[in-house]
Amino acid sequence: MIELRKSPRVTVTWRSGIKMPDGRLIFTKVINISAEGVLLQSPENLVPLRSYPMMIEIPGIAQASDIYKVSCKGTVRHVILSGDSYNVGMLLSEMSELHAQLVVAWISKTAHLG
């Protein structure tokens, strides 16, 4: 199968959370990431084209035990019901340059392992 995406995806298992418009925090899991976005599993359906404040826990490159709590916004691109959860594709924005570089480092590290 030929990959037609702009950016390579890296399979991960990272904890994340999304702040809902009513103020609740829902816990989600990032299952893959690229330089532009994430695919995550959510217990709740999210609204396409809506932006949500979110946080992603990203392990350090040198020390996986170093966890970076990355604040950003995620804009929902698509939602697919999968079993008892939703797979949600999100475009990331409002991430610090340092954290964006951490994501790029993870993608680069994984590309060299594959």
Side-chain angles (χ1 to χ4, degrees):
M1 178 186 222
I2 297 174
E3 178 70 53
L4 298 176
R5 299 176 188 268
K6 287 189 234 176
S7 300
R9 295 330 191 229
V10 174
T11 300
V12 296
T13 304
W14 295 343
R15 296 188 319 173
S16 55
I18 295 176
K19 187 170 184 182
M20 300 298 283
D22 62 7
R24 290 178 301 122
L25 181 64
I26 62 168
F27 296 100
T28 57
K29 180 173 75 169
V30 176
I31 54 179
N32 77 37
I33 191 161
S34 74
E36 285 87 31
V38 296
L39 180 66
L40 56 82
Q41 289 180 329
S42 170
E44 295 191 28
N45 192 8
L46 301 177
V47 178
L49 304 179
R50 179 176 282 172
S51 292
Y52 296 88
M54 62 185 296
M55 189 274 304
I56 304 170
E57 291 185 349
I58 302 179
I61 294 292
Q63 283 278 58
S65 60
D66 291 339
I67 302 295
Y68 296 89
K69 295 183 184 297
V70 176
S71 294
C72 58
K73 275 205 171 170
T75 302
V76 177
R77 301 293 299 268
H78 62 83
V79 181
I80 300 170
L81 180 61
S82 177
D84 59 354
S85 64
Y86 296 88
N87 286 343
V88 182
M90 301 186 92
L91 180 66
L92 298 180
S93 63
E94 298 183 26
M95 182 182 295
S96 76
E97 182 61 30
L98 180 65
H99 290 144
Q101 289 175 7
L102 178 61
V103 169
V104 170
W106 266 102
I107 293 165
S108 177
K109 174 183 175 182
T110 305
H112 293 310
L113 296 175

